[in-house]
């Protein structure tokens, strides 16, 4: 267990009698941070998304919230040269109001 820049990193290995790896369990910062990330994104969305003015900037503002917790996850979303993030807004009755892109 190590405190890394992105948060707690846990590596758990089981070895056989020859010291060869039989099992590996990695618990990375994304796993540890996912609850807090989801809450922050939800709060940010409520703050920054205005139904009548959803823009690319709205998506950028929401993206900031998960970058605070896990910058590697955010960069990975751009690993192929384009963002895989999207913004989808539903009303209380789960009707689609808007989406981007």
């Amino acid at each position: 267990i190590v405190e890394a820049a992105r948060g707690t990193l846990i590596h758990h290995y089981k070895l056989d009698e020859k010291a060869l790896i039989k099992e590996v369990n990695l618990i990375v910062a994304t796993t540890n941070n996912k609850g807090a990330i989801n809450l922050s994104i939800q709060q940010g969305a409520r703050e920054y998304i205005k139904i009548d003015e959803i823009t690319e900037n709205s998506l950028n503002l929401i993206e900031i919230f998960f970058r605070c917790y896990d910058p590697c996850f955010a960069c990975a979303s751009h690993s192929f040269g384009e963002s895989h993030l999207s913004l989808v807004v539903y009303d209380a009755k789960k009707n689609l109001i808007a989406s981007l892109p």
Side-chain angles (χ1 to χ4, degrees), residues 6-8 28-45 62-70 73:
R6 298 186 303 134
T8 305
V28 298
T30 303
T31 304
N32 291 323
N33 294 336
K34 68 181 178 183
I37 292 169
N38 287 338
L39 287 173
S40 291
I41 290 172
Q42 182 182 52
Q43 290 172 347
I62 301 309
E63 184 177 359
I64 289 169
F65 286 90
F66 77 81
R67 284 186 178 271
C68 292
Y69 292 91
D70 202 338
F73 181 65

Side-chain angles (χ1 to χ4, degrees), residues 39-87:
L39 287 173
S40 291
I41 290 172
Q42 182 182 52
Q43 290 172 347
R46 287 184 176 151
E47 174 88 20
Y48 291 108
I49 295 175
K50 307 301 179 213
I51 301 305
D52 56 338
E53 53 185 74
I54 294 176
T55 64
E56 186 71 29
N57 190 51
S58 302
L59 185 57
N60 293 336
L61 288 167
I62 301 309
E63 184 177 359
I64 289 169
F65 286 90
F66 77 81
R67 284 186 178 271
C68 292
Y69 292 91
D70 202 338
C72 290
F73 181 65
C75 290
S77 71
H78 298 279
S79 64
F80 294 107
E82 63 180 74
S83 176
H84 300 286
L85 301 173
S86 61
L87 176 61

Side-chain angles (χ1 to χ4, degrees), residues 2-15:
V2 176
E3 272 305 311
R6 298 186 303 134
T8 305
L9 177 62
I10 301 168
H11 283 206
H12 181 231
Y13 299 92
K14 289 185 182 179
L15 308 177

